[in-house]
Structures are given as structure tokens and as C-alpha cells.
Amino acid sequence: MTLFAAGAAGKEDRAGPGLTFRAPVARVLNVFNSDELPAPTKGARTRERIFGCAMELFMSSGYEKTTMRMIAERATVNVGLSYHYFPSKEHLVFEFYRRFADDFIERSAAVVADSSRLETRLIGVIETMFSTADPYHGFAGSLFATAASPASPLNPFSADFTGMRTEAIDLFARVVDGCTPRVPDDLAAELPFLLWAFSLAMMYSWMHDHSEGQEQTRTLLRQSARLVSSLVRMSSSPGARYFRRQLLSITRLVRSRIPEPA
């Protein structure tokens, strides 16, 4: 079972010092032009099978109840080989996050290019995040519980997450760049981080939303995006400069406390 295409050969690992990950070495073949990309190696196919079986078990049995032995048995490999490719379940979840982030960011490019309105871009990008995550709604909560611990390398504020966090913040920098209403320069430097943090809150709400189509979270998103756009518009007024400085000061303080890779 291939949930996502593996990354291109030689793609740099984005794990920090707490987790060491082997980068994928092959992509899924283009069925219309099999000469375009090299065939995956036996090791790459084995790694992909282990990952796919792990995702199947996480969805059917839950993250906590799934063991590395169960994953190895489903993938028809010995446990030692599964540990060779993924030394722990956390490594499997990190791989899931990495592939999810790549897919989500790639899909979001068209959304950002489609409109210059901040409200439209913000709603579109986060809706893209929801649609990318939709197949995993059933077990996303258990994965978040694992990542919520401050000591976990899967925590989005951890040093191990620096690469993926930076790429996601860069996406929201593109959301802000050239948008309407125009964002003041000092706020434009910090707003991408704030929007990334906002997207985490939206994802948390979406994961625990059991309304039809997660409509409660989508309503919250639309209302919040409208508010964000209005606040950005107001932030350019002379009377808002004090409050803008206070917001920027708090944001910088929060960012300064995020650990960096050793």
C-alpha cells in the first residue's frame, strides 16, 4: 500500500538530533513514461511496504495498540529488518508527517496563486490541509496525543521538527506575500509564524470534530480568517501601532523559546 510517493533520491533528511531518519531513495514510477524515473530498489520497496502496513494498522487498530512486531508480520519481514528501516513507531509517524507536509504544501501552491485576498488564501490553504488529512481523520487524534508531549520529538515545536516547521512557515509567508489587505512590513515578518500556529489550532479542532464533514471547524475557520483579515487591515492605522508592537513582542518571545537543532 503506497499512501504517498517517496521523496526523490538524495533528498535531505529533516529529522533533528533526537531522531535519525533515512531519506527515501525512490519515487513512484510515472506509468506513462517508465524511463523518466529509475525503478525503486529492493530496499526502497521493502521500506515502503513496512510504512504502508504501519499506516494500515494505525488506522485499523490504533497507534497505541499497534506494535513493531505487528507491523513486521503484516509486511512479511522479520522484526529486525523493520527496526533497520524504522527504529521505532515514532520514526514511522515522523515519516507520515513528512509525507503529509510535502503533499499539503505542494497542493497549496495553486491555492495561493489563485487569489491575492488574505482571507481567501488562508481559508484555502487550511482547507487543503484538511482535505490532505481527511483519509486519516479516524486515527489522527491518537497521533496528536503522541506529539503533544513537550518531550516528544514529534512535537511541532521541537528541535527535531525544525525542517518541517520552517517549510510550513514558509508556506504561510507565501500566503502573506503580496496579499490584500497589505500587511505592514514589521508584521509581515512575524505573521507567517502566527498563521502557522493558527493552522495547528485548526488541525487540533478538526481532529476532534465529529460534526458532519467537520463543519463546526470549517465555520470556525471561515469566521477566524475573516477576523484575521480585518485585524491586518486595522493594524495599518496609527491608533493600532501600540497594539501591533505588543503583539510582535509577544510573538518574538514565543519564537525565542523554540529549541533549535544541536
Side-chain angles (χ1 to χ4, degrees):
M1 174 185 177
T2 302
L3 298 175
F4 297 89
K11 184 163 183 165
E12 182 181 356
D13 292 339
R14 281 172 284 182
L19 295 174
T20 302
F21 296 92
R22 297 175 177 84
V25 295
R27 296 176 68 98
V28 173
L29 289 177
N30 181 338
V31 295
F32 299 105
N33 183 6
S34 59
D35 295 329
E36 182 178 333
L37 295 169
T41 64
K42 180 180 179 180
R45 291 194 301 270
T46 300
R47 185 181 192 277
E48 193 68 23
R49 187 167 73 252
I50 293 169
F51 176 77
C53 290
M55 292 301 104
E56 290 173 355
L57 286 167
F58 289 163
M59 286 189 279
S60 63
S61 303
Y63 175 79
E64 295 297 336
K65 292 182 179 179
T66 299
T67 66
M68 291 297 288
R69 181 170 295 279
M70 290 168 62
I71 294 167
E73 289 175 354
R74 174 69 70 93
T76 64
V77 299
N78 63 59
V79 178
L81 187 60
S82 65
Y83 277 116
H84 169 73
Y85 290 109
F86 298 100
S88 70
K89 287 198 298 182
E90 284 185 332
H91 287 74
L92 283 158
V93 175
F94 195 99
E95 178 75 359
F96 168 79
Y97 284 165
R98 187 188 66 76
R99 296 183 185 207
F100 169 80
D102 284 348
D103 196 22
F104 155 54
I105 290 171
E106 182 178 350
R107 292 186 189 189
S108 295
V111 175
V112 174
D114 211 37
S115 174
S116 64
R117 294 182 65 239
L118 176 59
E119 180 181 343
T120 302
R121 285 181 174 183
L122 184 56
I123 292 173
V125 165
I126 295 181
E127 282 285 3
T128 300
M129 179 177 68
F130 293 160
S131 65
T132 305
D134 190 63
Y136 318 106
H137 187 266
F139 79 107
S142 61
L143 292 186
F144 183 86
T146 302
S149 169
S152 172
L154 300 174
N155 188 298
F157 292 93
S158 70
D160 295 275
F161 231 80
T162 298
M164 280 189 283
R165 181 172 61 247
T166 299
E167 290 178 5
I169 293 172
D170 286 346
L171 168 62
F172 286 103
R174 295 196 294 276
V175 169
V176 170
D177 184 38
C179 74
T180 54
R182 181 185 174 279
V183 182
D185 291 342
D186 57 350
L187 182 57
E190 299 296 333
L191 188 57
F193 172 80
L194 292 172
L195 295 181
W196 169 74
F198 170 71
S199 76
L200 295 182
M202 288 293 97
M203 178 57 84
Y204 181 80
S205 174
W206 178 87
M207 286 189 299
H208 295 281
D209 185 352
H210 298 288
S211 62
E212 183 70 25
Q214 291 74 54
E215 185 55 35
Q216 290 180 357
T217 296
R218 289 184 154 90
T219 299
L220 179 61
L221 168 61
R222 291 189 294 269
Q223 293 178 352
S224 299
R226 192 176 306 120
L227 177 61
V228 168
S229 181
S230 298
L231 289 173
V232 167
R233 184 177 290 106
M234 291 170 55
S235 70
S236 298
S237 66
R241 288 175 184 170
Y242 170 78
F243 299 102
R244 195 170 80 215
R245 285 197 300 268
Q246 293 301 306
L247 174 63
L248 293 174
S249 176
I250 293 170
T251 304
R252 290 165 186 149
L253 178 62
V254 171
R255 295 190 71 171
S256 71
R257 297 180 64 85
I258 297 176
E260 296 291 335

